């Protein structure tokens, strides 16, 4: 999950918030929209406003109105959702009220779940494992992805950095223990976290406290909880989902203003979240993040010419279009190495043809610790072209890992003695040594303004 970009996570989190909304569209006005795509379902829901049940729709609207009124009072803001739920539930519980209740969907048990230990004496039956494995991985992937999306959406109020691995471990422990008590798989929930934050939660202890109170409500007031109207639940979830999307507006605008590639990845992930199963949307988002990173890294790779001034200092300049024959050129490579097959014309400097007797010093101190084979191939080909014209390529600031790869690939032998200058603690350590050796090779007196390009 660390390789999923912020743009992709913004699209995924916004899509999850939309799924929260579309999941209660039937409960709020009593009309079940058609279609599998979440955006289509939302449009179908709005288009068939005439098919909404009046009593259910009024209940949902009243719930949202009571929530907004309570939230406008500063002291009541933390309990606005609770006030809306209790007030409207009591009102619609009158005999004249019409609407679906929680008990119409399922009964709330008034007893705690029993402990069920696995039968370790019987031989394990693994025949169902292949069928369960795919679903298990999908459930785990979706739960973990939602947990990752919560932290950036609702950061800790005290500003502390969240521990993704700690969250993952906690979910794993909870599911291992819950499996012994007939529990469904648990994971992060944007809607539940949004409700907790709106109620004034400031630490993770809020989840523990709410869990304890939820257990007490189920055990002591289960029959009353069954009387909660579903339009009330739907209205509150619509409010929570809308607040989550509203909270992402700054992130969405930031991504749109960053680059068209990031914006495209965000939009595509959002659309995938509304159309595909969540586990597929997560995998697609991760793939988009990696492609986006590779494209941006390739665009940032560049060569900068280093020019030695009269005072001995090095200054940056634009690299020349071609290597000047019989002279020394110093180039500093900044960026990532090529991960794919480089094009034939691509090289450390443009057009080495005709640069007879030229020496190119390529500073590779910023090259990744483990460059890919394409970069080694490129350096070897360029060194061969320069060698055919009595020129030479010198690599300066070489890290030990790169030196090892150059030795194993045979490129170090092609560069010859002094062709690989190890990295030094100084920023441009080894460059002076390579510069002096190259000047001796060219055996030409320096000319001001033209000896270095």
């Amino acid at each position: 999950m660390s390789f999923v970009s912020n743009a992709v996570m913004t699209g995924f989190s916004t899509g999850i918030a939309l799924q929260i909304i579309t999941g209660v569209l039937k409960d709020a006005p009593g009309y079940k929209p058609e279609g599998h795509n979440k955006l289509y379902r939302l449009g179908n829901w709005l288009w068939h406003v005439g098919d909404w049940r009046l009593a259910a729709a009024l209940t949902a609207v009243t719930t949202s109105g009571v929530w907004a009124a309570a939230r406008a009072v500063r002291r009541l803001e933390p309990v606005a959702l609770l006030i809306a739920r209790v007030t409207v539930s009591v009102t619609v519980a009158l005999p004249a009220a019409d609407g679906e209740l929680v008990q119409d969907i399922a009964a709330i048990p008034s007893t705690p779940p029993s402990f069920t230990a696995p039968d370790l004496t019987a031989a394990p039956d693994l025949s169902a494992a292949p069928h369960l494995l795919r679903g298990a991985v999908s459930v785990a992937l979706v739960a973990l992805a939602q947990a990752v999306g919560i932290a950036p959406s609702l950061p800790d109020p005290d500003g502390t950095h969240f521990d993704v691995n700690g969250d993952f471990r906690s979910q794993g422990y909870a599911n291992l223990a819950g499996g012994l008590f007939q529990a469904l798989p648990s994971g992060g929930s944007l809607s539940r976290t949004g409700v907790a934050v709106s109620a004034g939660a400031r630490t993770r202890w809020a989840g523990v406290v709410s869990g304890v109170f939820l257990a007490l409500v189920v055990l002591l007031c289960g029959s009353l909880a069954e009387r909660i109207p579903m339009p009330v639940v739907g209205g509150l979830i619509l409010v929570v989902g809308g607040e989550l999307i509203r909270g992402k507006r700054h992130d969405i605008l930031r991504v749109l203003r960053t680059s068209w590639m990031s914006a495209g990845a965000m939009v595509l992930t959002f659309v995938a979240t509304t159309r595909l199963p969540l586990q597929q949307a997560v995998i697609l988002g991760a793939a988009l993040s990696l492609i986006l990173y590779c494209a941006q890294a390739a665009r940032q790779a560049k060569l900068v010419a280093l020019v030695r001034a009269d005072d001995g200092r090095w200054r940056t300049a634009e690299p020349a279009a071609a290597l000047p024959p019989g002279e020394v050129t110093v180039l500093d490579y900044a960026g990532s190495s090529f991960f794919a097959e480089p094009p034939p014309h691509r090289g450390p400097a443009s057009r080495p043809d005709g640069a007879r007797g030229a020496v190119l010093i390529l500073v590779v101190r910023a090259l990744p610790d483990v460059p890919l084979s394409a970069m080694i191939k490129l350096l070897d080909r360029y060194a061969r072209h320069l060698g055919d014209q009595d020129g030479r390529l010198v690599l300066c600031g070489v890290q030990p890992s790169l030196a090892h790869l150059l030795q194993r690939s045979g490129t170090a032998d092609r560069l010859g003695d002094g062709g690989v200058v190890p990295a030094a603690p100084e920023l441009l350590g080894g460059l002076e040594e390579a510069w002096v050796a190259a000047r001796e090779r060219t055996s030409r007196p320096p000319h001001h303004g033209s000896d270095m390009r």
Side-chain angles (χ1 to χ4, degrees):
M1 299 307 302
S2 298
F3 293 96
V4 181
S5 67
N6 176 71
V8 169
M9 283 306 304
T10 299
F12 180 75
S13 302
T14 307
I16 290 294
L18 180 64
Q19 287 209 15
I20 293 173
I21 292 176
T22 57
V24 295
L25 293 181
K26 174 183 177 296
D27 299 324
Y31 170 75
K32 183 178 181 180
E34 300 176 355
H36 178 69
N37 185 280
K38 303 302 184 294
L39 289 173
Y40 178 84
R41 291 183 63 186
L42 181 61
N44 180 268
W45 183 71
L46 295 173
W47 181 260
H48 291 84
V49 64
D51 296 332
W52 292 3
R53 294 171 56 185
L54 181 60
L58 289 177
T59 301
V61 171
T62 302
T63 303
S64 302
V66 174
W67 167 82
R71 194 169 184 267
V73 181
R74 188 169 185 178
R75 292 188 175 183
L76 299 180
E77 183 178 358
V79 291
L81 289 172
L82 180 61
I83 292 176
R85 172 169 296 183
V86 173
T87 302
V88 182
S89 296
V90 171
T91 302
V92 301
L94 298 176
D98 181 25
E100 188 179 35
L101 304 179
V102 172
Q103 65 183 6
D104 297 328
I105 298 177
I108 298 179
S110 58
T111 57
S114 59
F115 175 79
T116 304
D119 188 3
L120 301 179
T121 60
D125 182 11
L126 302 180
S127 60
H131 304 283
L132 297 175
L133 182 61
R134 180 178 178 181
V137 173
S138 299
V139 171
L141 188 61
V142 171
L144 297 179
Q146 290 194 67
V148 172
I150 293 173
S153 303
L154 298 168
D156 292 340
D158 57 1
T160 57
H161 185 70
F162 61 93
D163 182 8
V164 177
N165 292 328
D167 292 342
F168 285 4
R169 287 193 299 268
S170 300
Q171 290 188 57
Y173 298 151
N175 284 305
L176 286 175
L180 301 176
F181 293 90
Q182 310 169 39
L184 291 173
S186 62
S189 172
L190 274 173
S191 59
R192 186 173 64 247
T193 305
V195 171
V197 172
S198 63
R202 301 193 60 83
T203 68
R204 289 178 174 86
W205 279 103
V208 178
V209 174
S210 63
V212 173
F213 275 93
L214 178 60
L216 294 176
V217 170
V218 170
L219 295 178
L220 303 179
C221 307
S223 58
L224 293 177
E226 292 178 351
R227 301 291 301 174
I228 297 177
M230 290 305 301
V232 173
V233 177
L236 292 179
I237 296 300
L238 287 178
V239 167
V240 172
E243 285 291 294
L244 290 175
I245 294 179
R246 179 175 175 272
K248 300 298 294 183
R249 66 188 187 280
H250 297 298
D251 293 334
I252 295 174
L253 292 176
R254 188 179 299 110
V255 173
L256 292 175
R257 294 168 180 171
T258 300
S259 68
W260 66 267
M261 296 179 63
S262 298
M266 178 186 66
V267 173
L268 186 56
T269 304
F270 171 76
V271 174
T273 307
T274 63
R275 180 65 180 87
L276 300 176
L278 286 181
Q279 65 272 18
Q280 297 181 14
V282 172
I283 296 175
L284 176 62
L288 285 175
S289 298
L290 294 177
I291 294 174
L292 182 63
Y293 170 78
C294 292
Q296 291 177 341
R299 294 172 58 186
Q300 293 174 355
K302 61 180 180 179
L303 289 167
V304 178
L306 297 181
V307 180
R308 195 172 191 272
D310 296 335
D311 57 1
R313 297 182 179 181
W314 296 93
R315 293 186 172 88
T316 61
E318 289 292 328
L323 292 179
E327 296 185 5
V328 181
T329 301
V330 180
L331 296 177
D332 184 16
Y333 182 85
S336 301
S337 60
F338 302 108
F339 68 94
E341 184 73 14
H345 65 276
R346 189 78 175 266
S350 301
R351 297 197 306 274
D353 300 333
R356 187 162 190 82
V359 177
L360 172 61
I361 301 177
L362 182 60
V363 182
V364 293
R365 56 185 173 82
L367 208 63
D369 291 340
V370 185
L372 301 180
S373 59
M375 176 60 74
I376 302 297
K377 181 179 180 180
L378 189 64
L379 294 175
D380 185 84
R381 184 171 60 205
Y382 204 84
R384 184 174 65 253
H385 289 170
L386 281 176
D388 294 340
Q389 302 177 72
D390 197 26
R392 191 182 189 190
L393 173 64
V394 179
L395 300 181
C396 182
V398 178
Q399 301 292 338
S401 57
L402 176 58
H404 179 67
L405 291 178
L406 293 173
Q407 190 67 38
R408 291 185 58 184
S409 63
T411 305
D413 296 334
R414 185 180 299 279
L415 296 176
D417 295 337
V420 178
V421 181
E426 297 82 6
L427 183 60
L428 296 178
L431 181 56
E432 286 291 339
E433 176 186 347
W435 160 257
V436 173
R439 294 299 301 168
E440 293 177 354
R441 176 183 175 85
T442 56
S443 299
R444 295 185 54 166
H447 299 284
H448 180 70
S450 63
D451 60 338
M452 293 294 297
R453 292 182 174 87

